[in-house]
Amino acid sequence: MLLVRCVGLLLRARQGQGPLANGLVEAAVAADGTLDVTGSDGTVLTGVGRLVDGGDRGDSYNYAPPAHDVLVSEPARVAVELLEAGPLRARLLVTRVYDWPEALSAEDRDRRAARTVPTPVETLVEVCAGEPFVRVSTAFLNRSADHRLRLHVPLPRPVTTSASAGQFAVTERGLTAEGGWGEYPLPTFPASSFVSAGPATVLLDHSAEYELVDDGRELAVTLLRAIGSISVNIHPLRDEPAASEIPAPGAQDLGTRIENRFAVLPRASGWQGADAVALAEEFRGDVLVTRGTAPSGGRLPPDTAGLRVDGRDVQVSSIRRVTDDPYGTGIELRLAALSDTARAVRVTGAFTAATTVDLLGRPLAAEPVRDGLDLVLGPWEIRTVVLR
């Protein structure tokens, strides 16, 4: 079935011309190394992947900009290399070299040092058959201290809200944050599996920090905060120390290769219209490959269907085998409705009985199973069922 889906993947990049495209999404590399990403509904995101590096005189609790910061966003050199152009996957490697200050000034922590270090940042751009998003991976060897690096996604028009998936919920936030107790309210927020702003949704493979910047014109995702102390006694955005001023040189990540993975999903209808809940799981769940042991030339075994869950805005939080179920061995499935309206869910697989249980696995109610299990989850409901 996968091969049938992939026949239509035509990659003009094979001849070094045009963007990577699979009929669902298109990615073109601009002269500055950023991407122009076009979705299937015609939504265009321009300048995706712009990197902005600035000083950070904060600590492990809070970011703090130097009073006389120097922001570096333009690369000194850009190189593009086509790595693959096959029927299943196409990949480009964009290498941008930046001159980042090596640290804050030793004489004045409100300034960045004049000395810079050339830092190549490799950006792997990947388009796969059947996927409506562009995979983007960044990697670099960190040689600078006291700085923050963010990846920017410019938006076609300003927005006033963002939405991010966390633990069993999608939280909508504005452009400001709540402060208090002498602490400046930084509008940087956490995201677990995705963050969305207007027509731009960024899928994440690990929790990240994000912010809407430039009055809602760009979405910025933090790639690295390199800092040297657990807390600092004098913090520009905080009246009092958060903790003891204890050095944490390892938090500078000097000499460490910093890697991040994302996927950019353009859709005018936002994260719900883009089906971001399901696609975030698809992005995180890489295909597992193992080498076969049977003699070559033999017949392949028949396909085996596993557990399948269908439901819009429904997250599969956990699947595990349980042996202490009162009715015997079963498969525990935990679902969460990431929606403020009820959601229908259908579960199919090799099971004939199902029981809704509480978080300790104690039975609550038997569920009717015919050719599958049909459930209705209330708004933001978490439901755990054991299948046998």
Side-chain angles (χ1 to χ4, degrees):
M1 181 174 178
L2 178 60
L3 292 177
V4 174
R5 291 172 59 193
C6 297
V7 170
L9 181 62
L10 302 176
L11 301 169
R12 293 184 293 277
R14 188 189 304 273
Q15 292 81 28
Q17 301 173 354
L20 306 184
N22 64 1
L24 298 175
V25 70
E26 183 176 287
V29 182
D32 62 356
T34 63
L35 304 175
D36 295 338
V37 181
T38 304
S40 58
D41 64 351
T43 298
V44 180
L45 303 176
T46 303
V48 172
R50 185 169 71 94
L51 299 179
V52 180
D53 183 77
D56 190 343
R57 56 162 298 177
D59 50 33
S60 63
Y61 288 87
N62 300 88
Y63 159 78
H68 308 285
D69 201 2
V70 174
L71 299 179
V72 181
S73 60
E74 298 297 326
R77 297 186 299 280
V78 179
V80 181
E81 178 186 1
L82 177 65
L83 300 181
E84 295 181 32
L88 301 181
R89 181 176 71 178
R91 299 199 299 170
L92 287 170
L93 180 64
V94 181
T95 302
R96 291 173 284 179
V97 180
Y98 294 87
D99 293 322
W100 292 340
E102 65 175 355
L104 293 179
S105 170
E107 293 78 24
D108 183 359
R109 288 187 60 79
D110 264 326
R111 299 181 183 276
R112 303 188 78 178
R115 175 184 167 85
T116 62
V117 289
T119 306
V121 180
E122 298 176 344
T123 302
L124 183 65
V125 183
E126 184 175 315
V127 172
C128 297
E131 293 183 346
F133 49 78
V134 177
R135 295 172 179 262
V136 180
S137 303
T138 61
F140 63 94
L141 182 67
N142 183 45
R143 301 174 60 201
S144 298
D146 309 316
H147 70 124
R148 180 180 68 173
L149 177 66
R150 300 203 288 189
L151 178 142
H152 286 236
V153 179
L155 306 174
R157 63 192 64 85
V159 300
T160 57
T161 60
S162 64
S164 67
Q167 285 68 43
F168 303 109
V170 177
T171 304
E172 186 172 295
R173 301 179 174 93
L175 298 178
T176 59
E178 182 179 354
W181 297 96
E183 188 169 319
Y184 179 83
L186 284 172
T188 55
F189 304 110
S192 178
S193 59
F194 69 82
V195 56
S196 183
T201 298
V202 178
L203 310 179
L204 308 169
D205 80 336
H206 65 272
S207 296
E209 172 191 271
Y210 77 91
E211 181 181 357
L212 287 177
V213 298
D214 193 17
D215 295 325
R217 292 179 174 85
E218 294 194 19
L219 172 65
V221 180
T222 301
L223 303 185
L224 171 67
R225 280 195 65 221
I227 49 92
S229 181
I230 291 178
S231 176
V232 292
N233 291 340
I234 301 176
H235 193 293
L237 303 182
R238 199 173 59 229
D239 287 348
E240 299 290 340
S244 300
E245 192 173 63
I246 300 174
Q252 296 283 15
D253 281 322
L254 290 171
T256 301
R257 183 172 173 84
I258 307 299
E259 299 181 350
N260 289 274
R261 290 200 318 136
F262 307 92
V264 179
L265 175 60
R267 188 63 59 89
S269 53
W271 68 270
Q272 286 183 300
D275 200 16
V277 174
L279 291 178
E281 293 191 35
E282 181 178 324
F283 167 65
R284 283 189 169 188
D286 290 331
V287 175
L288 298 178
V289 179
T290 185
R291 183 176 296 276
T293 58
S296 60
R299 298 184 60 181
L300 292 175
D303 293 342
T304 301
L307 200 63
R308 181 184 178 96
V309 178
D310 292 289
R312 191 82 176 186
D313 297 335
V314 174
Q315 180 187 58
V316 178
S317 171
S318 172
I319 302 177
R320 68 186 186 107
R321 189 179 301 277
V322 291
T323 58
D324 56 350
D325 180 66
Y327 303 101
T329 300
I331 300 296
E332 182 188 83
L333 174 66
R334 182 162 294 139
L335 307 169
L338 302 188
S339 171
D340 54 8
T341 58
R343 287 292 186 243
V345 187
R346 180 164 177 77
V347 184
T348 55
F351 60 90
T352 58
T355 304
T356 294
V357 301
D358 65 13
L359 292 178
L360 296 178
R362 296 173 298 197
L364 296 178
E367 303 292 347
V369 175
R370 297 179 179 86
D371 57 344
L373 173 63
D374 292 289
L375 300 170
V376 176
L377 302 185
W380 311 107
E381 180 184 356
I382 303 171
R383 179 82 66 89
T384 307
V385 293
V386 174
L387 312 173
R388 295 177 299 279

